[in-house]
Amino acid sequence: MKFWMYPLFVIIGASSYGILSTIIKLAIRDGYTAAQAVTSQYYIGFVLAVIIFVVTHRKLPKFGGGFTLVIAGLFTALTGTVYGKAISYMPASLAVVMLFQFTWIGMLFDCIARRRLPKRIEVIALVFLFGGTLLAAGVIDADLSGIPWQGWAWGMAAAVSFSAFLMSNSRPVEEMDMQTRLLFMSFFAAIAITFFQEPKILFDGTLVDGLWIYGLILGVFGIILPILLFSIGIPKVGAGTASILSAIELPVAVTASVLLLQEHLTILQLVGIAIILVGMTLPSFANRKIALKKL
């Protein structure tokens, strides 16, 4: 497989995360709560993972990877939970900015794990991403004086949790294929979400009374695609580069809200999206230039 495909897998996986907030808002419009929508995402995502494994393997799964998969599944569920908490204390646009602190936190985790300093191109990319995020999220003129400390704390927790999720996905599991990894990660995530969200949707009829439609969409784009694609791409590109490439999530989220929720898009937001796209492509161009020089 050509190397340029691995960053593409990370970008597509992160893009799938970008539509989740819009789908959850649509579920809320239809009378469901955010907790119910998130819970349906993880439960149906696990069912889809079981179906994929059965179709591709037709045998009992053999567990491997141990602590790595448990941690990855836990942080998958934890990110959605604490991000929802942040939104309850602050505007969604500001919560997005807090979540996007994962770009530099993920880079920090990668530098610590590899015992290295950030590359100059990575620092430049982070500056672009941070500036573009402020513009694209539309918080330049927002009044931040009334935001309680809990909102900032939950927002930063979401960024740390997502960074840990990316980091755990950077660790390959020997002798385990993608479908088996997806099965176990989605299983541990579903177990974790049972303690954090609304497991009663399985028994009170909410899931079969229409919520399953949103759960199916959220399960595909929030569980199946990102776990599969991240499992392929992140071990090849590294957690630091993956954090930068995952910034595509915000432009996708803004675009989805405009198309599906008819939200207004300003010129500043368009400029911010353009800056984010420039920032996330800088490391890829630099790495390609280095590879060409070696050849």
Side-chain angles (χ1 to χ4, degrees):
M1 188 177 295
K2 295 182 178 180
F3 184 80
W4 63 266
M5 296 187 66
Y6 297 113
L8 181 61
F9 287 151
V10 176
I11 290 173
I12 296 174
S15 297
S16 67
Y17 270 130
I19 73 167
L20 298 185
S21 59
T22 298
I23 301 302
I24 292 175
K25 287 182 181 179
L26 290 174
I28 293 173
R29 282 187 180 183
D30 213 12
Y32 304 104
T33 66
Q36 289 173 332
V38 170
T39 306
S40 70
Q41 167 188 333
Y42 287 91
Y43 286 167
I44 294 183
F46 171 62
V47 172
L48 293 175
V50 171
I51 293 173
I52 292 173
F53 181 85
V54 170
V55 170
T56 57
H57 287 71
R58 301 173 184 264
K59 62 180 181 181
L60 292 176
K62 183 179 180 181
F63 181 67
F67 194 62
T68 298
L69 295 185
V70 175
I71 290 297
L74 175 63
F75 281 116
T76 302
L78 188 61
T79 300
T81 301
V82 295
Y83 183 55
K85 289 283 189 180
I87 291 178
S88 66
Y89 284 99
M90 59 175 55
S93 58
L94 183 57
V96 169
V97 174
M98 292 303 299
L99 175 64
F100 264 67
Q101 303 309 303
F102 77 79
T103 51
W104 67 266
I105 294 174
M107 180 66 64
L108 176 63
F109 284 177
D110 186 62
C111 289
I112 293 175
R114 299 190 182 192
R115 298 180 180 180
R116 68 176 182 89
L117 293 175
K119 301 175 184 177
R120 183 175 61 178
I121 192 64
E122 292 174 336
V123 175
I124 295 173
L126 289 177
V127 172
F128 272 82
L129 293 178
F130 187 74
T133 299
L134 292 177
L135 294 175
V139 297
I140 294 296
D141 299 324
D143 182 12
L144 307 181
S145 59
I147 306 298
W149 68 266
Q150 293 94 333
W152 302 108
W154 285 119
M156 185 58 69
V160 173
S161 178
F162 190 68
S163 300
F165 167 68
L166 294 177
M167 195 71 187
S168 61
N169 267 284
S170 68
R171 294 179 176 272
V173 178
E174 297 296 334
E175 299 182 359
M176 177 175 284
D177 56 38
M178 295 181 300
Q179 296 90 343
T180 307
R181 179 168 182 149
L182 169 65
L183 177 67
F184 284 114
M185 282 184 62
S186 61
F187 170 72
F188 291 125
I191 293 297
I193 212 68
T194 301
F195 296 97
F196 295 144
Q197 297 289 352
E198 294 282 342
K200 64 181 181 180
I201 64 171
L202 292 175
F203 314 107
D204 62 7
T206 304
L207 187 61
V208 297
D209 189 26
L211 180 60
W212 68 270
I213 299 175
Y214 295 105
L216 180 61
I217 299 172
L218 292 169
V220 170
F221 289 97
I223 301 294
I224 303 300
L225 285 179
I227 290 180
L228 282 177
L229 295 174
F230 283 169
S231 297
I232 300 171
I234 295 181
K236 298 295 184 180
V237 304
T241 300
S243 296
I244 294 175
L245 294 175
S246 296
I248 189 65
E249 181 182 338
L250 180 56
V252 172
V254 173
T255 303
S257 66
V258 171
L259 295 177
L260 299 179
L261 300 175
Q262 287 75 51
E263 293 186 359
H264 181 63
L265 186 64
T266 66
I267 298 297
L268 279 180
Q269 285 178 299
L270 285 174
V271 172
I273 290 174
I275 293 174
I276 290 174
L277 294 177
V278 171
M280 60 175 284
T281 56
L282 286 177
S284 297
F285 279 120
N287 291 336
R288 184 179 180 183
K289 186 176 180 181
I290 292 173
L292 289 175
K293 284 185 177 180
K294 290 182 178 180
L295 291 175

